[in-house]
Amino acid sequence: MAMTPTYATILTDDSSHQRLRKSKVDKKYVYAFADGDGKNKQLLGGKGANLCEMTQFGLNVPPGFVITTEACLDYLENDKLPEGLMEEVKKEIADLEKATGKGYGSGENPLLVSVRSGSALSMPGMMDTILNLGLNDETMAGLIEQTGDERFAYDAYRRFIQLFGKVALGIEDEKFDPLFEDVKKQAGVKADVGLSVDHLKEISAKFLDVVRSETGEDFPQDVMVQLELSVKAVFRSWMGKRAVDYRREFKITPDMANGTAVNVCTMVFGNRGDDCATGVGFTRNPGTGDNEMFGEYLVNAQGEDVVAGIRTPKPIQEMGEEMPELYEELVDLRNKLEEHYKEVQDYEFTIENGTLYCLQTRNGKMNAAATVQTSVDMFREGLITREQALLRINPELLEQLLHPRLDPEADAKAVATGLPASPGAASGKCVFDADRAELMGNEGEKVILVREETRPEDIHGFFASEGILTSRGGKTSHAAVVARGMGKPCVAGAEGIVVDVAARLARIGDKIIHEGDVITLDGGTGEVYLGAIPTIPAHFSDNLAELLGWADETASLKVMANADTPAAAEQAREYGAMGIGLCRTERMFNATDRLPVVIDMILANTAEDRVAALNRLLPIQRADFIKVFTAMSPNPVTVRLLDPPMHEFLPTEHDLLEQIENLEVYRKIVRGRQAAIATLDHEVHLPEALEELSEEHVNDALARKERMLRKVRELEEVNPMLGHRGVRLGITYPEIYEMQIQAILEAAMECAEKGVDVLPEIMVPQVITLQEIKHVKRTADTIVAKLEAEHGKELKFKFGTMIETVRACTRAWHLAGVAEFFSFGTNDLTQATFSFSREDAENKFLPMYNESSVLQDNPFEVLDVKGVGKLIKMAVKGGREQREDLKIGICGEQGGHPDSIQFCHDAGLNYVSCSGPRVPVARLAAAQAKLRADESGGLSVTQGLHAA
Ligand code: ADP
Ligand code: MG
Ligand code: MG
C-alpha cells in the first residue's frame, strides 16, 4: 500500500489500541450456534461448544445461541447481568425469528425456546434447564392454532409453569405435584397420557394460581422478562448447593470449569403425535463397550420424560421396527458423531413430526471395562491412534475392573429384576432416602439407596451408598447415569419393587423389606437378592491385558508392587508388576505362628537368647523369601530390613495390665478350687480341660506377661516414629539384620542352585548417613563371602537404601557412594518434610486444611510436588552425580497416584512401586506420563502445573 511506514505504524498502533479498549467495554457475551468456537468449552460450556460444533459440521441442531460463562461470572459477582447482554440476546432472538419464521411472543406463530445450563465439564443434572419458554396466555392461542393440538399446547404450558416456577421463582415441586396427582386421581387415569385437554387446562390454571399465591405476583406474561429471569436463574444454579457439592466431591476446580453458560435453543417437540419421539443414545454400549446402537426412546414424549424416569422407555433397537426410516437417520447421526469426535458420544435427540434433531452431545461416560474395550476397538477400527487409545482412559477408572462380582456358585435366587444399569456387585442395608443414606454411610455402615427414582438432589446419598436401586426409570435415568459415573453398581427400573418411603419399607410381592435389611445388587445383570451374597474378585480381560501391554511398551517408568507375602507377590504379578519395589519383612512376622518367636527375640535379655530366637526365625524367613523370589523371577525383589520400633510387636501396656489382672483372678480361682476339692469327703471328677491348668501353668503365664510388661515399659518412647527403629535398631541389635540378610541371601542362593533366576535387593530403612549404610553393608559382605565360598557360586544382589529422611536427601551424593539404588519412602519423607505425624494430621486437622484450601490435597495421598518433590529432585541429582546408573524409585502410597507418577517420570525416576491392585492404574499412568512429557517437548508438565 502506498503509505509511509511511519503512518502505517501509527495507524496499526492506534487501531489495536482501540480494539483493546473496545473489547473491554463491549465484550462479546453471546454467540450464535453457527458462530461459536466449538473448541472453547471454558467460554461456551461443554454443551454450548458442542451445539456450535455440531451446527457447523452439518448436523441438524435447532437454531440457538450461547451466553458465555464470562457473563455468568460477571452476573454472580455484581448481582446483575452485564451491561449490554440483553441487547445482544435480543439481537440473537431476532435472528432466531428469521431462521424459524416464527415470532418470540407472537400470538400467531410463536417461537418457543429452552434455556439450558452447561459448564466446561459435564455435571449431569446438577444445574437447571427450563423448557417451553415464551408461553403465555397470548402465545398459547398461537400455539394451539399453529399446531391444531390444544392438548399438546396445555401440556406444554403446565410443564413450563411448573419448571419456570421451580427454577426461576423458587417454588418447590411439592406445591405443584399434589395438584397434578389430584386431577389424575379424580380423572381415574394412571399415566399422564390419559389426561384430556380439560384436565390439562385445569392443571395449568391451578399452577398459575400456585405462582400467584406463592410469589404474590402473576406469572410473568412478558416473554422477554421470562427469558431474563430464566437466564439469571440458570446462572445462579452454578452456585446452588447441588452444584457446589458436586464440584467439591469430584474436585472440579475453577481452572477446570468456572461458571455455567446458558444455551438458548429453539424448542422442538417430541410430543406432538406418533411421528414424534425423544431419546438418548450412546454411540456404543457404555456397559460393555460393544460397537452397537445403544439407547432408549419414547414415542410422543418430551426429553425430560426419559431423563427423569417418569416413563420407562424402550430400547433403541425397537425403533428399527417402529420407525425404520428415522432409525436409519439415527444410525447415520451416530456414525457422523463418532467420525467427527473420535470418541464415544452420549447424545440427546428429538424427532418432531418426522424430522430428527440432535439436541446435545458429549463424551460418553462409561465404566472401566467399556472404556478399555472401546479404546482397543477404536484403535483396531483405525478411528484413533494407539497413543490416543492410551490417553483417553483415566487411569483411576481401571480400579473399577478390580471390583468384585457375585459368586456364580452362590446358589441365590433373585427376588426382583430391573435393568442392569451400572455393573458391579454390592451388598448393604436398605435405606429409602438420601439423607438417611448419608447419615448411616458416615457412620461406616454399608448402605444401598433404594428409591422409586432418583433426582439430582439425592446426590449426597449416592456418595454414601455402595449401590443404587430404583423401581422406575431406564438405563439412562438419573440414577443410572450418576451411578455409572461413580463406578457404583446400579439396578434401575426394578418394577416389581414398591417403595413406601413414609413407612420405611419396600414390598416385593408379598415380601417386605424394612429399612436396615441387607440386600445385594448385581448391576451387571439387574438382579436383586435378599441378604448378603458372596462375591468374587474381577478378572483381567484380554482387552485390558492388550492395552496395558501397549502401556508398558510406551512407558519409561517401570511399575513394581509393594508385596510382603508370597500370595501378595503372586497377585501383583497377575496385575503386571515388573518386580517388587517394597517387601516389608516385619509383615512376615505378624503371622500367628511367628509372632511368639518374634516376641521371644524381643524379650531376650542377652545377645545369646536373642540369637536363639532369631535362629528359629531364620528358616521361616528364608522359606518366605524363596517363595516370593520364585513368584517374581526373573524380576527384582527389594526387601526392606526390619523397620518399625520393636514395641509394635508387643501388646500395649493397657492390654497387658488387663491380662495380668485377669490371670491373677484366675489363679485365685484355681487355688480356691483346690481348697474346695480338699474339703470334700468324696471323689470329684472334673472335666479334663479344667484339670489341665494347674497353678503352675498360670504362674508361668503370669511371669511371661510380667516380663512383657517390663519390656513394654522399657521400650516406651515419647515419639516412637522418630525413635529406636529402622537402621538404628539394626545397628544396636546387629543380630537382627544379620539374620535377615542371611535369610535373603541364602534364599537367593537356594533359588540360584535350583536354576531359578532371581534378583534380590537389600534395602536399609531410615538412613541418615553413609556410616549407617557402610555398617550394614559390611555385614552383608561378610555373609556373601561366606556363602559364595561354601557354594562355590557367585551371588547376584543389590544393596541400597530408602530415602525417607530429610538428611538423606541432602546427603544423597554421599549415600550413593555405597548404595546402588534409592527408594523414596514418601510416607516418612512427607511426615518429615511437613513435620506432621500422618495419623494425627489425618484425624485432626488435615480435612479442615483441605476443605478451606490451606492445603490443596492430602500430601500422604498425592505427592507434594512443591515441597517433598523438591527434596526428591535434589536427591536424584546428588545420587546420579555420584553414581550415573543409580536405580531410583518410589515406594510410598503416592507411587500409585497418576499425578505423582507424572512427577516421578519428569523427575527421571526408574520405577514406581505401589500396592498390587494399583499396579494396572500405575502402568497406564506411567505410559500417559511419558506421552504427555513428549507432547510438551520434554518440558516437565508437573513443573508447569504445580509451580508456586
Ligand atoms: P441436562 O443437562 O440436564 O441434560 P438439557 O439442557 O440437556 O439438560 O435439557 C433437559 C432436557 O430437555 C433434555 O432431555 C433435552 O433433550 C431437552 N431439551 C432441551 N432443550 C430442548 C429443545 N430446545 N427442544 C426440545 N427438547 C429440549
Ligand atoms: Mg442434556
Ligand atoms: Mg518408612
Side-chain angles (χ1 to χ4, degrees), residues 47 116 348 360 362:
K47 194 185 288 170
R116 317 167 65 187
E348 293 178 0
Q360 184 178 333
R362 62 185 171 211

Side-chain angles (χ1 to χ4, degrees), residues 489-500:
C490 175
V491 173
E495 290 177 348
I497 301 180
V498 182
V499 180
D500 185 343

Side-chain angles (χ1 to χ4, degrees), residues 47 116-117 124-125 129 280 307 346-348 359-362:
K47 194 185 288 170
R116 317 167 65 187
S117 57
T129 284
V280 292
V307 181
D346 163 359
Y347 58 99
E348 293 178 0
L359 290 177
Q360 184 178 333
T361 194
R362 62 185 171 211

Side-chain angles (χ1 to χ4, degrees), residues 13 134 159 184 353 435 485 500 548 652 758 789 883:
D13 273 349
R159 285 174 198 262
K184 254 164 90 177
N353 301 131
D435 290 342
D500 185 343
L548 290 177
T652 62
V758 298
R883 188 187 287 268

Side-chain angles (χ1 to χ4, degrees), residues 683-702:
E683 217 174 300
V684 206
H685 293 286
L686 288 174
E688 249 174 54
L690 279 179
E691 297 280 17
E692 255 177 27
L693 268 186
S694 66
E695 192 175 335
E696 222 173 292
H697 282 121
V698 182
N699 281 336
D700 280 354
L702 256 174

Side-chain angles (χ1 to χ4, degrees), residues 404-406 424-428 446-448 465-468 488-489 518-523 529 531-533 535:
R405 289 181 300 137
L406 282 191
S427 305
K446 287 193 181 336
V447 299
I448 305 276
S465 303
E466 303 297 308
I468 319 298
K488 297 197 173 185
V518 174
I519 60 167
T520 300
L521 303 182
D522 185 342
Y529 305 85
I533 312 297
T535 53

Side-chain angles (χ1 to χ4, degrees), residues 325-340:
E325 276 158 38
L326 285 161
Y327 184 72
E328 281 315 307
E329 278 188 44
L330 194 67
V331 171
D332 187 51
L333 169 68
R334 174 232 173 254
N335 294 342
K336 283 186 174 142
L337 281 172
E338 270 208 356
E339 268 157 39
H340 182 83

